[in-house]
Amino acid sequence: MESVEDFVRAPTEELLEGFSREQLIGVAEHFRLDVGDKRMKENIRGIEMDSKTFYGKKGNNQAVRAIPSDSEDSELDGSESEDSEGQDSQEEWIPESGEGMFIENDTESVNEEEDEDVAEVANPGPPRWKTVHNPSCNPYPEWQGVSRSDEILSPLQYFQQFFSEDILESIVQQSNLYAMQNNPNKPLNLTTKELEPFLGTVVYMSLFGLPRTRMFWNKACRVSQVADTMTLNRWEAIKKYLHFSNNEDRQEEGNDPLHKIRPLVTHLISKLKSIPMREKLAVDEHMVPFKGRSRLKQYLPSKPKKWGYKILVLAGSDGVPHNFKIYTGRAVHPPELADIGASGNVVLRLAQPIPKQENYKLFFDNWFTSVPLVLTLAQQGIHTIGTVRCNRLPGINLKCDAELKKKGRGSFEEKMAIVGETTLHVVKWYDNRTVSLLSDYAGAYPVNEVERWDRKQKLIMNVPRPAVVKEYNKNMGGVDLLDSLIALYRIKIRSKKWYHRLVFHFMDMIIVTAWLLYRRDCEGTGMTRKE
């Protein structure tokens, strides 16, 4: 064609012959032509093209949507059907080879708005998954830490390790100050010798199911251990003015939602971090039941207690907590930690007290698990196992649920990929339903058997179970164990102050922690359970 007029007047079929879509649009843009001919557009769309060669590599300003923040439990009998995977809000993490990965800095709750900021995380590239044809047992990384105590303390000494004299004196000082701020004519005059019996009565009340605290002083149902300790009026006065921080300092510290109990929370976290850790740890969430008025209150329909405060906990497989974070909405992520998305950042913040390069094992559920999280922890020498949503595994092609179901109960498939110096294992196992697990140290082998009840044949049958499933089931329940022990004798004192519910929960948690530490120390000295 010799001129622009010849190009425009030529038939569409002649124009398209020998040209690709990319070339045609380039010519049109070069001559500033309006490619508006309907026939020309239809013919251009019909040309098959490679999206990668047309759109090129992913630009530096591209971002994938962050890990979804809808919280749900990930039990191994949960469904991971193909339909549910397609409805998940998480896009595949597939950066081009040699480029960095960019993830939006999303919030940790569905109640918060999405942020436009994008943070860069260095990554060697997308994993290339391969089917494992030669099954072999993976070398188990040997734990290099030490967690043993040769001394057994009294129950009061275990409790005083957390509620020490310094924090009790701080509570007394702030409670007296709060009483003076409310009514200077009626000072509280609280002392530590009076605060300790008050806390003792609060703990003792948890053993009874009385709906009102005044009933402990009532003649009809009087409890002498409580009523003889202090009068009802004095007990209610201490409870009314129980305080933990100065209200006048709130403006100086900024908008901290936990300002009322921040000194107590900081003190307890520092004490929990000092507890020697065991090899197996888990990150999970649990609820503090609460239905009063508070903007921190959450609703989680999958939990037994659906309303309350959400706390994210790092605990050992024996239930001993080592770190926790109260969910308050958008969290400030430390700049020294990698930004890998909302839920992954939670694990990185909770895992800060874990000693690095000592082969600790960390377990979490599918709300947290992602390839960037596993790779980031592997660089710190922390090995991980977690149930995973299949759309968070970039480039993988696992068998659908129907194929595994045809093979029968206990069938599984394993994929493996090497990213840098880390070997990733993905195992999809079918029991009652399918479940997928991601790990950097455990795979499907050695396969063991587990007993299951067959409804059709009405008998107990042996079902093959991959090694990674056994490891996960054995060590994931630390936070659930802590939560169940707290629920046995939970302090249920009613209060109009929203932070009292959290303070009483911390007392329950410390009592359970002291009991678990006592059992651990007894086992360390060789004492039998009967003794």
Side-chain angles (χ1 to χ4, degrees), residues 92-111:
E92 287 188 355
W93 173 71
I94 312 180
E96 295 292 336
S97 179
E99 294 184 334
M101 184 188 68
F102 299 86
I103 298 180
E104 282 188 342
N105 185 16
D106 198 3
T107 62
E108 297 176 7
S109 172
V110 295
N111 299 328

Side-chain angles (χ1 to χ4, degrees), residues 115-225:
D115 194 4
E116 297 292 336
D117 298 333
V118 176
E120 180 178 353
V121 179
N123 187 73
R128 297 181 179 180
W129 303 99
K130 298 181 180 179
T131 304
V132 178
H133 296 290
N134 298 322
S136 61
C137 299
N138 301 307
Y140 188 84
E142 185 177 355
W143 179 50
Q144 300 176 1
V146 177
S147 174
R148 185 174 180 177
S149 176
D150 298 330
E151 184 181 6
I152 300 177
L153 306 177
S154 65
L156 181 60
Q157 289 175 325
Y158 282 107
F159 184 81
Q160 289 176 341
Q161 286 182 342
F162 302 95
F163 280 89
S164 53
E165 285 292 332
D166 54 347
I167 191 61
L168 293 180
E169 291 176 359
S170 176
I171 296 173
V172 168
Q173 179 183 357
Q174 295 300 330
S175 299
N176 291 329
L177 177 62
Y178 181 62
M180 293 295 294
Q181 291 173 346
N182 280 269
N183 190 349
N185 298 323
K186 292 184 179 181
L188 183 61
N189 296 328
L190 180 65
T191 62
T192 55
K193 292 185 178 180
E194 194 175 16
L195 177 61
E196 290 177 351
F198 171 81
L199 298 179
T201 57
V202 168
V203 174
Y204 200 81
M205 287 177 179
S206 65
L207 302 178
F208 299 86
L210 300 182
R212 298 289 184 272
T213 54
R214 291 192 174 189
M215 297 178 68
F216 287 89
W217 285 267
N218 192 288
K219 292 182 179 180
C221 51
R222 187 176 187 273
V223 179
S224 59
Q225 290 84 348

Side-chain angles (χ1 to χ4, degrees), residues 64-101:
V64 296
R65 283 185 292 178
I67 296 172
S69 58
D70 54 329
S71 175
E72 62 177 84
D73 289 336
S74 64
E75 301 295 338
L76 285 184
D77 59 355
S79 175
E80 291 191 12
S81 62
E82 300 294 325
D83 296 335
S84 62
E85 292 166 5
Q87 297 173 359
D88 203 303
S89 60
Q90 165 68 4
E91 300 258 342
E92 287 188 355
W93 173 71
I94 312 180
E96 295 292 336
S97 179
E99 294 184 334
M101 184 188 68

